[in-house]
Amino acid sequence: MHDNATFEFLCRMGDNTLVLGHRVSEWCGVSPVLEEDIALANTALDLIGQTQMWLGLAGDIEGKGRSADDLAMLRDVWDFRNLLLVEQPNGDFGQTLMRQFLFDAWHVRMLQALTGSSDKRIAEIAAKAVKEASYHVERSGDTVIGLGDGTAESHGRMQAALDLLWPYVGEMFICDDVDEAMKSAGIAPDPNDLRAGFDSHVTQVMTDATLLIPEDDFAHKGGKNGHRHSEHLGHMLTQMQWLQRAYPGASW
Amino acid sequence: MSAPNSAYPDTPEAQPEKPKRHEWPLWEIFIRGQHGMSHRHVGSLHAADAEMAIKNARDVYTRRNEGVSIWAVQASHIAASSPSHKGPLYEPSESKVYRHPTFFDIPDEVGAM
Amino acid sequence: MYAQMVKSTGQGVKSLDDMEPQERAFQERIDAGDKIEPKDWMPDGYRKTLIRQIGQHGHSEIVGQLPEGNWITRAPTLERKAILLAKVQDEAGHGLYLYCAAETLGVSRDELTEDLLSGKMKYSSIFNYPTLTWADMGAVGWLVDGAAIMNQVPLQRTSYGPYARAMVRICKEESFHQRQGYDIMMKMARGTPAQKRMAQDALNRFWYPSLMMFGPSDKDSVHSAQSMAWKIKMNTNDELRQKFVDQTVPQAEYLGLTVPDETLQWNEGKGGYDFAEPDWSEFFDVIKGNGPCNRERLAARNKAWDDGKWVRDGLLAHAEKRASKKVAAE
């Protein structure tokens, strides 16, 4: 049970970075300004690198000989364990950066906690990833502020993005059986414990951005336990996994 | 905002009659590498303000581990010497060869100096 | 090349004796290997030709992101995805360095961008070809970047300081591009029959467009002669094309792939290969806008620029608000 739960947990971490890294990479070559193009690619590269580590470790712990690539390219939607937030489509640049900031503000706290994990391998991955995430959250936070407190148009678009994505925030803090097992083994924190820090960070940024956090705290769920993903994920996988599916067994 | 060419005020604008667009200003980027050397000019980029210039520089100019410290200076704030003064500015130092240690012959027996 | 058929003054090269003193002093500095810097006096034709050339080169890097960006979301492994993304990211960086070099000549990035988007300025013909299979990522790195490097390495010695410095940085970063392309080709050529077929097909489709990158023969071109006198063009198109073929044919043989040219033959006398010229009428069609992907490429860049306007404006408005708040507080 313990190893099963750890495998599940690692898939959650790795699928988040896999799916979000993929989404961010969709911006390559078409972002609003060259400097942003380069910065977004850096974020995507960090996330892909973290994916290799999380899913690599997941495969080791599972012990069935599956590599990070096998897990990324050969599982179907119901086996993915990422948050619904990260599979949401890019929308406009503001929506992409809002999604990024909301994820980063959670991610950096989760990784910070994982640096003290009782599992040394997890602590090591987190120690590397938390540095990347700290930069991500600074950059995405600044951009949310800049666009929120920019022109009337940029303000309106950012408020719309926040309204659209806020219902996907709650899932990050749900505590289920896997989280309970991780918590009691000292492997990972209780997600609830990350909420206060997240809320004060997000409130500060949204205040600076002159944006209003929606009062309704309804939360969509079903991503991190794989129970019910959105329709978007399947389309992403058809693209991401196409070569591996069309030419099984080939080496690339 | 600043004229795109403001780091080089002697250079005539290509199309002076056209009004300049509202662009992000140009910044000159200086990076100090790993080994304790001085900051060195590595290139330019555009950013809306200084904080963004530093972040953009991090993303654009340190992708291959090039640096540990970044300076960003808005290009219009750089004062530059004029090429027509090249002679008076730099040639006088050419004759002061005694400023260079190799000017002096020290016998080998004296040892390292 | 990335800057194909750049027109210079069209006047032909003047002899030193025909020049006014200022221009003569300028040419003598170039002949002596001096670098020209932004604040130095320069002939109008030199400035204009450089803006066209560096601009075209920069545009090629920017549009060049698209054919490879086409495969980032379909890369077969996480590592391949990361490598390809890092490579396309480098191209954005190269475009940025080049635009900044052009800006020292008195043109702004937005002006250059608008000239690209309106079709007034060109970019390399090669990026108007589609990337249809994963092997194309190999072929583009191996052949297209290989051809680009042929041109870029000598340009590190070009007479205009900011351009030369941009090229130094670009060449340093570029060396991984061709290698990652060849690495993909090796995997494919040694892979399953389907992969091998993809590899051969990619070579078949990219061979002649790669040869076209160097532009038509310019041995009689007045533009090229002037650009070479100014040291903003270092070799003739034919020289570079020959060098490219001589370098690439053995690499294709190593892969076990066939260069799609039945006339290809080693010529002992000249110490190089004899090879078939590409179809230059196709080249001129592509330059005129009738390549397989011209419309898509320009439409993609236009959309990115239009969609991004509110972001650029928003961030600038915020920076200005902050600056005026800061002034008010002081």
Side-chain angles (χ1 to χ4, degrees):
Chain A
M1 170 59 205
H2 174 95
D3 269 3
N4 265 343
T6 310
F7 173 75
E8 282 285 308
F9 176 74
L10 289 168
C11 284
R12 291 176 179 185
M13 294 303 292
D15 288 345
N16 279 335
T17 52
L18 171 64
V19 170
L20 187 60
H22 189 95
R23 282 283 186 235
V24 176
S25 79
E26 291 172 359
W27 274 101
C28 186
V30 295
S31 80
V33 64
L34 269 177
E35 284 81 356
E36 275 302 335
D37 234 319
I38 294 168
L40 283 176
N42 276 341
T43 301
L45 285 170
D46 287 343
L47 293 172
I48 295 167
Q50 292 173 19
T51 305
Q52 289 173 302
M53 295 190 286
W54 290 128
L55 293 186
L57 182 55
D60 287 349
I61 285 176
E62 186 194 35
K64 291 182 186 164
R66 289 203 283 182
S67 66
D69 278 325
D70 293 337
L71 290 171
M73 301 295 177
L74 300 173
R75 283 176 304 156
D76 205 344
V77 169
W78 57 70
D79 284 333
F80 272 72
R81 296 290 180 263
N82 59 280
L83 298 160
L84 295 175
L85 175 69
V86 296
E87 69 195 43
Q88 297 309 304
N90 284 341
D92 66 14
F93 183 80
Q95 195 178 316
T96 294
L97 264 290
M98 183 62 79
R99 183 188 62 200
Q100 187 70 39
F101 172 67
L102 294 173
F103 176 76
D104 291 341
W106 168 83
H107 197 212
V108 74
R109 286 176 172 78
M110 175 54 109
L111 291 171
Q112 191 59 55
L114 289 178
T115 58
S117 173
S118 62
D119 187 319
K120 203 165 147 269
R121 297 165 297 181
I122 292 177
E124 275 170 12
I125 295 173
K128 180 173 188 307
V130 74
K131 289 181 199 146
E132 297 169 345
S134 307
Y135 180 73
H136 298 170
V137 75
E138 212 182 292
R139 186 163 185 118
S140 60
D142 280 359
T143 311
V144 166
I145 292 170
L147 291 173
D149 180 38
T151 59
E153 181 181 7
S154 72
H155 175 84
R157 284 174 181 263
M158 294 314 281
Q159 185 64 56
L162 180 57
D163 294 346
L164 182 76
L165 294 171
W166 191 253
Y168 297 98
V169 164
E171 190 186 12
M172 299 192 278
F173 304 100
I174 292 171
C175 185
D176 64 11
D177 291 352
V178 172
D179 295 303
E180 288 291 351
M182 291 297 99
K183 186 177 137 189
S184 58
I187 291 177
D190 182 335
N192 281 309
D193 295 346
L194 307 175
R195 182 86 207 214
F198 174 90
D199 280 341
S200 75
H201 188 172
V202 170
T203 302
Q204 182 60 57
V205 166
M206 294 310 159
T207 305
D208 290 350
T210 69
L211 297 175
L212 291 175
I213 296 174
E215 281 173 16
D216 188 349
D217 59 1
F218 170 77
H220 288 291
K221 51 186 185 290
K224 72 184 246 183
N225 61 14
H227 178 65
R228 187 163 61 211
H229 280 280
S230 65
E231 290 178 349
H232 306 296
L233 183 61
H235 290 281
M236 176 192 288
L237 297 188
T238 34
Q239 208 172 77
M240 184 169 84
Q241 301 182 335
W242 174 70
L243 270 177
Q244 290 281 1
R245 301 285 193 180
Y247 300 93
S251 160
W252 304 92
Chain B
M1 285 316 290
S2 69
N5 210 30
S6 43
Y8 309 100
D10 286 359
T11 310
E13 300 293 344
Q15 293 143 316
E17 72 282 2
K18 264 213 250 168
K20 281 296 161 201
R21 284 167 188 71
H22 206 55
E23 290 186 36
W24 290 3
L26 188 67
W27 299 75
E28 299 299 331
I29 304 303
F30 301 80
I31 289 188
R32 181 155 57 76
Q34 311 277 358
H35 307 294
M37 305 293 279
S38 308
H39 284 76
R40 203 170 65 84
H41 183 243
V42 293
S44 331
L45 49 75
H46 288 266
D49 60 21
E51 284 79 8
M52 197 200 288
I54 300 257
K55 287 206 170 66
N56 286 349
R58 181 264 189 198
D59 281 309
V60 172
Y61 287 110
T62 68
R63 302 203 300 287
R64 287 176 170 79
N65 237 336
E66 290 94 334
V68 294
S69 165
I70 296 170
W71 288 350
V73 186
Q74 202 169 322
S76 58
H77 293 168
I78 289 184
S81 64
S82 157
S84 56
H85 283 83
K86 222 175 189 169
L89 282 180
Y90 310 116
E91 274 167 33
S93 68
E94 282 174 18
S95 57
K96 280 74 168 181
V97 286
Y98 43 79
R99 282 199 174 113
H100 298 275
T102 46
F103 177 75
F104 304 96
D105 265 336
I106 304 289
D108 287 347
E109 302 90 281
V110 178
M113 186 174 284
Chain C
M1 194 29 60
Y2 275 20
Q4 289 156 328
M5 305 182 67
V6 174
K7 289 200 170 82
S8 66
T9 60
Q11 304 295 310
V13 185
K14 280 191 233 168
S15 75
L16 283 176
D17 290 338
D18 290 341
M19 292 176 187
E20 298 296 321
Q22 206 170 23
E23 187 176 359
R24 183 182 171 132
F26 171 84
Q27 187 63 49
E28 282 172 345
R29 284 184 60 200
I30 289 185
D31 294 344
D34 261 17
K35 290 275 181 267
I36 306 302
E37 293 299 335
K39 291 176 73 179
D40 294 344
W41 182 89
M42 60 187 81
D44 206 38
Y46 180 82
R47 180 187 305 279
K48 285 189 174 143
T49 308
L50 265 178
I51 290 175
R52 273 198 290 264
Q53 178 172 330
I54 301 173
Q56 234 188 74
H57 194 160
H59 295 331
S60 298
E61 300 281 359
I62 298 307
V63 178
Q65 294 182 88
L66 298 172
E68 287 175 290
N70 184 37
W71 277 89
I72 287 174
T73 56
R74 288 179 289 172
T77 67
L78 295 169
E79 186 179 64
R80 287 290 179 202
K81 186 178 359 204
I83 292 169
L84 186 60
L85 186 54
K87 187 198 174 228
V88 180
Q89 180 194 42
D90 273 352
E91 278 150 19
H94 297 173
L96 186 152
Y97 309 153
L98 288 159
Y99 284 159
C100 287
E103 284 182 73
T104 65
L105 292 159
V107 63
S108 78
R109 190 198 286 180
D110 283 8
E111 285 165 347
L112 287 168
T113 302
E114 281 164 19
D115 283 349
L116 166 70
L117 298 181
S118 70
K120 191 174 151 207
M121 285 183 86
K122 303 290 180 200
Y123 55 90
S124 178
S125 56
I126 190 74
F127 301 118
N128 290 312
Y129 288 87
T131 54
L132 302 177
T133 73
W134 176 252
D136 288 10
M137 295 303 97
V140 168
W142 170 39
L143 301 173
V144 175
D145 291 299
I149 290 168
M150 287 282 158
N151 186 49
Q152 289 170 343
V153 167
L155 277 176
Q156 295 179 94
R157 293 178 284 109
T158 187
S159 64
Y160 187 56
Y163 192 22
R165 289 190 285 273
M167 292 317 305
V168 168
R169 181 166 271 276
I170 288 171
C171 286
K172 216 161 77 184
E173 298 182 351
E174 192 89 41
S175 57
F176 115 78
H177 294 183
Q178 193 185 12
R179 284 165 161 258
Q180 66 85 34
Y182 198 71
D183 186 60
I184 291 175
M185 291 308 278
M186 286 199 293
K187 272 276 187 207
M188 304 293 283
R190 292 173 188 164
T192 64
Q195 285 176 304
K196 194 162 177 182
R197 190 177 145 209
M198 277 184 224
Q200 182 63 54
D201 172 65
L203 174 58
N204 292 349
R205 279 182 290 108
F206 276 96
W207 175 254
Y208 287 107
S210 300
L211 296 187
M212 290 178 202
M213 286 176 68
F214 299 94
S217 178
D218 58 352
K219 57 183 192 297
D220 303 319
S221 157
V222 288
H223 300 300
S224 291
Q226 178 61 72
S227 289
M228 288 177 84
W230 280 334
K231 291 193 186 163
I232 57 183
K233 182 178 170 72
M234 310 302 282
N235 307 84
T236 68
N237 296 347
D238 290 326
E239 279 167 13
L240 291 172
R241 187 168 18 248
Q242 182 70 53
K243 212 174 150 194
F244 173 74
V245 171
D246 293 346
Q247 175 188 290
T248 308
V249 169
Q251 294 169 349
E253 282 167 2
Y254 181 82
L255 293 171
L257 300 178
T258 310
V259 174
D261 176 359
E262 285 173 9
T263 70
L264 188 76
Q265 200 173 17
W266 179 254
N267 180 332
E268 195 62 53
K270 74 172 181 185
Y273 286 91
D274 291 330
F275 57 92
E277 289 275 314
D279 175 358
W280 290 111
S281 67
E282 177 182 315
F283 172 79
F284 288 110
D285 280 340
V286 175
I287 292 278
K288 261 187 286 180
N290 292 322
C293 299
N294 292 56
R295 268 178 229 198
E296 287 95 326
R297 300 292 186 243
L298 269 188
R301 288 310 309 165
N302 270 291
K303 183 175 187 316
W305 186 246
D306 295 343
D307 289 353
K309 185 175 187 310
W310 71 269
V311 177
R312 297 188 299 274
D313 290 349
L315 292 174
L316 187 58
H318 175 71
E320 286 171 349
K321 276 190 215 174
R322 280 218 318 184
S324 57
K325 263 186 217 155
K326 208 172 147 195
V327 170
E330 273 163 9

PDB file of all heavy atoms in Angstrom, chain B residues 53-71:
ATOM      1  N   ALA B  53      13.624  43.965 -17.048  1.00  0.00           N
ATOM      2  CA  ALA B  53      14.880  43.867 -17.801  1.00  0.00           C
ATOM      3  C   ALA B  53      15.803  42.829 -17.159  1.00  0.00           C
ATOM      4  O   ALA B  53      16.431  42.019 -17.850  1.00  0.00           O
ATOM      5  CB  ALA B  53      15.568  45.223 -17.857  1.00  0.00           C
ATOM      6  N   ILE B  54      15.854  42.832 -15.828  1.00  0.00           N
ATOM      7  CA  ILE B  54      16.709  41.863 -15.127  1.00  0.00           C
ATOM      8  C   ILE B  54      16.188  40.440 -15.368  1.00  0.00           C
ATOM      9  O   ILE B  54      16.946  39.518 -15.675  1.00  0.00           O
ATOM     10  CB  ILE B  54      16.708  42.141 -13.603  1.00  0.00           C
ATOM     11  CG1 ILE B  54      17.232  43.546 -13.328  1.00  0.00           C
ATOM     12  CG2 ILE B  54      17.476  41.051 -12.863  1.00  0.00           C
ATOM     13  CD1 ILE B  54      18.616  43.654 -12.836  1.00  0.00           C
ATOM     14  N   LYS B  55      14.882  40.278 -15.246  1.00  0.00           N
ATOM     15  CA  LYS B  55      14.316  38.935 -15.440  1.00  0.00           C
ATOM     16  C   LYS B  55      14.519  38.483 -16.887  1.00  0.00           C
ATOM     17  O   LYS B  55      14.890  37.341 -17.146  1.00  0.00           O
ATOM     18  CB  LYS B  55      12.832  38.931 -15.092  1.00  0.00           C
ATOM     19  CG  LYS B  55      12.590  39.029 -13.596  1.00  0.00           C
ATOM     20  CD  LYS B  55      11.253  38.397 -13.227  1.00  0.00           C
ATOM     21  CE  LYS B  55      11.115  38.276 -11.710  1.00  0.00           C
ATOM     22  NZ  LYS B  55      11.035  39.578 -11.032  1.00  0.00           N
ATOM     23  N   ASN B  56      14.264  39.393 -17.837  1.00  0.00           N
ATOM     24  CA  ASN B  56      14.467  39.018 -19.235  1.00  0.00           C
ATOM     25  C   ASN B  56      15.927  38.666 -19.495  1.00  0.00           C
ATOM     26  O   ASN B  56      16.222  37.730 -20.247  1.00  0.00           O
ATOM     27  CB  ASN B  56      14.028  40.146 -20.160  1.00  0.00           C
ATOM     28  CG  ASN B  56      12.511  40.264 -20.241  1.00  0.00           C
ATOM     29  OD1 ASN B  56      11.795  39.384 -19.769  1.00  0.00           O
ATOM     30  ND2 ASN B  56      12.027  41.343 -20.814  1.00  0.00           N
ATOM     31  N   ALA B  57      16.826  39.406 -18.866  1.00  0.00           N
ATOM     32  CA  ALA B  57      18.249  39.130 -19.060  1.00  0.00           C
ATOM     33  C   ALA B  57      18.590  37.747 -18.530  1.00  0.00           C
ATOM     34  O   ALA B  57      19.365  37.006 -19.131  1.00  0.00           O
ATOM     35  CB  ALA B  57      19.092  40.188 -18.361  1.00  0.00           C
ATOM     36  N   ARG B  58      17.986  37.415 -17.407  1.00  0.00           N
ATOM     37  CA  ARG B  58      18.218  36.082 -16.837  1.00  0.00           C
ATOM     38  C   ARG B  58      17.780  35.012 -17.840  1.00  0.00           C
ATOM     39  O   ARG B  58      18.466  34.021 -18.062  1.00  0.00           O
ATOM     40  CB  ARG B  58      17.437  35.973 -15.521  1.00  0.00           C
ATOM     41  CG  ARG B  58      17.588  34.647 -14.793  1.00  0.00           C
ATOM     42  CD  ARG B  58      16.430  33.730 -15.138  1.00  0.00           C
ATOM     43  NE  ARG B  58      16.404  32.533 -14.302  1.00  0.00           N
ATOM     44  CZ  ARG B  58      15.726  31.428 -14.622  1.00  0.00           C
ATOM     45  NH1 ARG B  58      15.036  31.386 -15.749  1.00  0.00           N
ATOM     46  NH2 ARG B  58      15.730  30.390 -13.839  1.00  0.00           N
ATOM     47  N   ASP B  59      16.618  35.245 -18.457  1.00  0.00           N
ATOM     48  CA  ASP B  59      16.101  34.229 -19.368  1.00  0.00           C
ATOM     49  C   ASP B  59      16.820  34.231 -20.714  1.00  0.00           C
ATOM     50  O   ASP B  59      16.979  33.189 -21.332  1.00  0.00           O
ATOM     51  CB  ASP B  59      14.593  34.425 -19.565  1.00  0.00           C
ATOM     52  CG  ASP B  59      13.799  33.870 -18.392  1.00  0.00           C
ATOM     53  OD1 ASP B  59      14.032  32.710 -18.036  1.00  0.00           O
ATOM     54  OD2 ASP B  59      12.972  34.596 -17.812  1.00  0.00           O
ATOM     55  N   VAL B  60      17.237  35.421 -21.166  1.00  0.00           N
ATOM     56  CA  VAL B  60      17.839  35.495 -22.502  1.00  0.00           C
ATOM     57  C   VAL B  60      19.335  35.217 -22.462  1.00  0.00           C
ATOM     58  O   VAL B  60      19.862  34.502 -23.311  1.00  0.00           O
ATOM     59  CB  VAL B  60      17.590  36.884 -23.136  1.00  0.00           C
ATOM     60  CG1 VAL B  60      18.381  37.032 -24.435  1.00  0.00           C
ATOM     61  CG2 VAL B  60      16.105  37.092 -23.393  1.00  0.00           C
ATOM     62  N   TYR B  61      20.024  35.779 -21.474  1.00  0.00           N
ATOM     63  CA  TYR B  61      21.491  35.771 -21.544  1.00  0.00           C
ATOM     64  C   TYR B  61      22.187  34.842 -20.541  1.00  0.00           C
ATOM     65  O   TYR B  61      23.405  34.836 -20.465  1.00  0.00           O
ATOM     66  CB  TYR B  61      22.022  37.201 -21.387  1.00  0.00           C
ATOM     67  CG  TYR B  61      21.786  38.051 -22.625  1.00  0.00           C
ATOM     68  CD1 TYR B  61      20.863  39.089 -22.630  1.00  0.00           C
ATOM     69  CD2 TYR B  61      22.477  37.776 -23.807  1.00  0.00           C
ATOM     70  CE1 TYR B  61      20.646  39.854 -23.770  1.00  0.00           C
ATOM     71  CE2 TYR B  61      22.267  38.531 -24.946  1.00  0.00           C
ATOM     72  CZ  TYR B  61      21.353  39.568 -24.927  1.00  0.00           C
ATOM     73  OH  TYR B  61      21.143  40.315 -26.059  1.00  0.00           O
ATOM     74  N   THR B  62      21.444  34.086 -19.757  1.00  0.00           N
ATOM     75  CA  THR B  62      22.139  33.134 -18.862  1.00  0.00           C
ATOM     76  C   THR B  62      21.617  31.717 -19.071  1.00  0.00           C
ATOM     77  O   THR B  62      21.617  30.912 -18.154  1.00  0.00           O
ATOM     78  CB  THR B  62      22.005  33.521 -17.366  1.00  0.00           C
ATOM     79  OG1 THR B  62      20.629  33.353 -16.963  1.00  0.00           O
ATOM     80  CG2 THR B  62      22.410  34.959 -17.123  1.00  0.00           C
ATOM     81  N   ARG B  63      21.192  31.405 -20.300  1.00  0.00           N
ATOM     82  CA  ARG B  63      20.634  30.076 -20.552  1.00  0.00           C
ATOM     83  C   ARG B  63      21.693  28.992 -20.463  1.00  0.00           C
ATOM     84  O   ARG B  63      21.388  27.832 -20.253  1.00  0.00           O
ATOM     85  CB  ARG B  63      20.002  30.007 -21.950  1.00  0.00           C
ATOM     86  CG  ARG B  63      18.911  31.023 -22.187  1.00  0.00           C
ATOM     87  CD  ARG B  63      17.969  30.585 -23.296  1.00  0.00           C
ATOM     88  NE  ARG B  63      18.611  30.385 -24.581  1.00  0.00           N
ATOM     89  CZ  ARG B  63      19.045  31.377 -25.357  1.00  0.00           C
ATOM     90  NH1 ARG B  63      18.943  32.627 -24.965  1.00  0.00           N
ATOM     91  NH2 ARG B  63      19.589  31.121 -26.522  1.00  0.00           N
ATOM     92  N   ARG B  64      22.940  29.359 -20.665  1.00  0.00           N
ATOM     93  CA  ARG B  64      23.993  28.351 -20.625  1.00  0.00           C
ATOM     94  C   ARG B  64      24.949  28.627 -19.476  1.00  0.00           C
ATOM     95  O   ARG B  64      26.149  28.547 -19.629  1.00  0.00           O
ATOM     96  CB  ARG B  64      24.736  28.317 -21.959  1.00  0.00           C
ATOM     97  CG  ARG B  64      23.901  27.684 -23.076  1.00  0.00           C
ATOM     98  CD  ARG B  64      24.609  27.759 -24.407  1.00  0.00           C
ATOM     99  NE  ARG B  64      23.939  26.971 -25.430  1.00  0.00           N
ATOM    100  CZ  ARG B  64      22.853  27.370 -26.085  1.00  0.00           C
ATOM    101  NH1 ARG B  64      22.289  28.535 -25.817  1.00  0.00           N
ATOM    102  NH2 ARG B  64      22.321  26.593 -27.014  1.00  0.00           N
ATOM    103  N   ASN B  65      24.358  28.995 -18.331  1.00  0.00           N
ATOM    104  CA  ASN B  65      25.189  29.084 -17.139  1.00  0.00           C
ATOM    105  C   ASN B  65      26.205  30.207 -17.202  1.00  0.00           C
ATOM    106  O   ASN B  65      27.273  30.098 -16.615  1.00  0.00           O
ATOM    107  CB  ASN B  65      25.981  27.779 -17.031  1.00  0.00           C
ATOM    108  CG  ASN B  65      25.709  27.113 -15.721  1.00  0.00           C
ATOM    109  OD1 ASN B  65      25.332  27.789 -14.768  1.00  0.00           O
ATOM    110  ND2 ASN B  65      25.884  25.817 -15.670  1.00  0.00           N
ATOM    111  N   GLU B  66      25.883  31.270 -17.938  1.00  0.00           N
ATOM    112  CA  GLU B  66      26.910  32.279 -18.195  1.00  0.00           C
ATOM    113  C   GLU B  66      27.179  33.197 -17.023  1.00  0.00           C
ATOM    114  O   GLU B  66      28.190  33.870 -17.000  1.00  0.00           O
ATOM    115  CB  GLU B  66      26.521  33.147 -19.405  1.00  0.00           C
ATOM    116  CG  GLU B  66      26.568  32.430 -20.740  1.00  0.00           C
ATOM    117  CD  GLU B  66      25.224  31.866 -21.149  1.00  0.00           C
ATOM    118  OE1 GLU B  66      24.394  31.581 -20.258  1.00  0.00           O
ATOM    119  OE2 GLU B  66      25.003  31.702 -22.358  1.00  0.00           O
ATOM    120  N   GLY B  67      26.257  33.305 -16.081  1.00  0.00           N
ATOM    121  CA  GLY B  67      26.479  34.372 -15.123  1.00  0.00           C
ATOM    122  C   GLY B  67      25.914  34.165 -13.748  1.00  0.00           C
ATOM    123  O   GLY B  67      25.074  33.295 -13.505  1.00  0.00           O
ATOM    124  N   VAL B  68      26.397  34.990 -12.815  1.00  0.00           N
ATOM    125  CA  VAL B  68      25.895  34.954 -11.450  1.00  0.00           C
ATOM    126  C   VAL B  68      25.394  36.330 -10.995  1.00  0.00           C
ATOM    127  O   VAL B  68      24.906  36.459  -9.887  1.00  0.00           O
ATOM    128  CB  VAL B  68      26.977  34.455 -10.475  1.00  0.00           C
ATOM    129  CG1 VAL B  68      27.310  33.004 -10.756  1.00  0.00           C
ATOM    130  CG2 VAL B  68      28.244  35.297 -10.571  1.00  0.00           C
ATOM    131  N   SER B  69      25.545  37.339 -11.852  1.00  0.00           N
ATOM    132  CA  SER B  69      25.065  38.666 -11.468  1.00  0.00           C
ATOM    133  C   SER B  69      24.740  39.465 -12.732  1.00  0.00           C
ATOM    134  O   SER B  69      25.455  39.379 -13.721  1.00  0.00           O
ATOM    135  CB  SER B  69      26.141  39.385 -10.651  1.00  0.00           C
ATOM    136  OG  SER B  69      25.847  40.761 -10.569  1.00  0.00           O
ATOM    137  N   ILE B  70      23.644  40.214 -12.677  1.00  0.00           N
ATOM    138  CA  ILE B  70      23.181  40.938 -13.864  1.00  0.00           C
ATOM    139  C   ILE B  70      23.044  42.428 -13.557  1.00  0.00           C
ATOM    140  O   ILE B  70      22.499  42.798 -12.518  1.00  0.00           O
ATOM    141  CB  ILE B  70      21.798  40.396 -14.318  1.00  0.00           C
ATOM    142  CG1 ILE B  70      21.906  38.929 -14.751  1.00  0.00           C
ATOM    143  CG2 ILE B  70      21.230  41.245 -15.453  1.00  0.00           C
ATOM    144  CD1 ILE B  70      20.560  38.259 -14.976  1.00  0.00           C
ATOM    145  N   TRP B  71      23.549  43.261 -14.454  1.00  0.00           N
ATOM    146  CA  TRP B  71      23.224  44.685 -14.435  1.00  0.00           C
ATOM    147  C   TRP B  71      22.413  44.994 -15.681  1.00  0.00           C
ATOM    148  O   TRP B  71      22.755  44.529 -16.771  1.00  0.00           O
ATOM    149  CB  TRP B  71      24.489  45.553 -14.513  1.00  0.00           C
ATOM    150  CG  TRP B  71      25.325  45.577 -13.279  1.00  0.00           C
ATOM    151  CD1 TRP B  71      25.018  45.082 -12.048  1.00  0.00           C
ATOM    152  CD2 TRP B  71      26.653  46.134 -13.173  1.00  0.00           C
ATOM    153  NE1 TRP B  71      26.055  45.289 -11.174  1.00  0.00           N
ATOM    154  CE2 TRP B  71      27.075  45.935 -11.833  1.00  0.00           C
ATOM    155  CE3 TRP B  71      27.503  46.776 -14.060  1.00  0.00           C
ATOM    156  CZ2 TRP B  71      28.323  46.358 -11.374  1.00  0.00           C
ATOM    157  CZ3 TRP B  71      28.742  47.195 -13.608  1.00  0.00           C
ATOM    158  CH2 TRP B  71      29.146  46.993 -12.271  1.00  0.00           C
TER     159      TRP B  71
END
